[in-house]
Amino acid sequence: MVVVRGNHGSTPQLGLRISGAVLLAVSAGIHLDLYLTGYRKIPTIGWLFLLQVIVGFMLTIAALVTRSRLAAAASAALALSTLAAYLLAVWIGLFGFKEIRTRAGLAAGLIEVAAFATLALAAVTANSARRAGAPAAVSGGAFAGAFAGTAVGASAGTGAFAGTGPGHRARARAQSAVSVVVAAVSAVSVAALALLGVAVVSTGGSPVAAADVGSTLKTVKIGGVDVLANADGLTLYWFAPDTSTSSKCFGSCAIYWPPVSGSPAAGPGVTGKLGTIKRPGGGLQATYDGHPLYTYIGDRGPGQANGNDLDLNGGFWYDIRVSH
């Protein structure tokens, strides 16, 4: 018996696994940064971000140190499901939280599409690479049959070497199946890119809605502390980079932190000085003791202060404590 060993096809498969694992780690790193700089305080969304980070790094390690098709497939599924959750949050909201378009979100989306395609291909080729590297045994009888065929005629010998037995047919079916799966992965990747593009376009030109128009401010108790709130009881915040005459929060920042517009009126418990400044894009924004006022989209109702002490959109955010 003659044993033939090969290693064909393993290098591309290794490259796919490494590339996919790196992309998955980058995606997890982006989500870790978002979690630490604000998302951790958003109900439900916060722990989902943390779960994605933990699972993402675990699957990164699994994809790097194993040749398991299951590890690569699970990693691809995580990348695709993370992208799907982002698109849902942008379009209709997720667990009461509506995401907005940001550069970080767009970058993560593109990385997740690439990670899915790369890891899915790694999963498809995992067993093929192992089969290519496995020893192939050829019996002496096979050689004898082949040489016997040459004695009968050249065409018979050629047919013996051509490999028309069950093994050849099984390989042909496997190659056909791999081609179908590769085409499916490509189609899903293209569809994911198209949906991401639609999300970017559909959310790109939406104006920032005013949080309030000349509303009456009041105080509410959160954790035993009197905090400034709008007429609906939503906590109001100030942004550390702002000055008494200008707001540094605009663009996508103003979607996360809607500015309180118009001239405010003092309600019960409001003792500070009220005023207004001009917004960068025009219009008036309410101020309290020289601080421009904002609400936070992470607060889903009165009595919440999920935006307090967050380092997000270029600086720290704080609720406004009212002293009597």
Side-chain angles (χ1 to χ4, degrees):
M1 176 179 289
V2 179
V3 179
V4 181
R5 295 184 181 272
N7 193 33
H8 306 291
S10 61
T11 300
Q13 204 276 339
L14 177 63
L16 287 171
R17 284 193 294 110
I18 293 176
S19 300
V22 169
L23 289 167
L24 192 65
V26 171
S27 172
I30 292 174
H31 285 82
L32 176 61
D33 178 68
L34 292 172
Y35 172 80
L36 293 174
T37 57
Y39 280 72
R40 70 183 184 275
K41 288 196 174 184
I42 301 176
T44 306
I45 296 296
W47 66 261
L48 285 177
F49 262 69
L50 181 59
L51 180 64
Q52 191 276 342
V53 169
I54 294 172
V55 175
F57 283 125
M58 289 177 62
L59 287 176
T60 295
I61 295 172
L64 284 174
V65 302
T66 73
R67 295 184 180 182
S68 168
R69 169 177 287 185
L70 179 61
S75 300
L78 177 66
L80 191 61
S81 62
T82 302
L83 175 63
Y86 172 73
L87 293 176
L88 282 175
V90 168
W91 284 333
I92 62 176
L94 195 62
F95 300 107
F97 174 76
K98 199 168 190 307
E99 183 61 277
I100 63 167
R101 185 194 68 179
T102 61
R103 285 191 295 270
L106 179 59
L110 292 173
I111 290 169
E112 283 148 13
V113 173
F116 163 75
T118 307
L119 290 164
L121 291 176
V124 171
T125 59
N127 286 355
S128 300
R130 281 202 293 270
R131 284 195 298 268
V138 183
S139 67
F143 280 108
F147 286 116
T150 58
V152 175
S155 61
T158 304
F161 277 110
T164 58
H168 175 75
R169 289 194 295 271
R171 285 192 296 273
R173 286 194 296 269
Q175 290 172 354
S176 177
V178 167
S179 298
V180 171
V181 174
V182 169
V185 169
S186 301
V188 172
S189 301
V190 171
L193 281 174
L195 291 172
L196 184 61
V198 170
V200 169
V201 172
S202 63
T203 59
S206 300
V208 178
D212 296 284
V213 179
S215 67
T216 300
L217 307 185
K218 62 182 181 180
T219 60
V220 296
K221 278 196 177 294
I222 300 178
V225 178
D226 289 320
V227 176
L228 191 67
N230 65 8
D232 295 324
L234 294 177
T235 301
L236 299 181
Y237 299 90
W238 64 278
F239 189 34
D242 284 351
T243 69
S244 60
T245 58
S246 66
S247 168
K248 307 301 181 184
C249 178
F250 44 86
S252 63
C253 173
I255 302 177
Y256 277 112
W257 306 89
V260 179
S261 63
S263 299
V270 177
T271 59
K273 180 181 178 182
L274 300 178
T276 59
I277 62 168
K278 285 191 175 182
R279 289 286 302 161
L284 296 178
Q285 180 175 358
T287 64
Y288 181 86
D289 283 343
H291 296 297
L293 300 178
Y294 308 84
T295 56
Y296 177 48
I297 63 171
D299 290 338
R300 292 152 72 172
Q304 296 184 356
N306 296 311
N308 186 48
D309 198 26
L310 290 189
D311 182 7
L312 196 62
N313 299 111
F316 277 92
W317 297 83
Y318 304 98
D319 57 19
I320 297 177
R321 310 294 173 93
V322 178
S323 57
H324 297 288

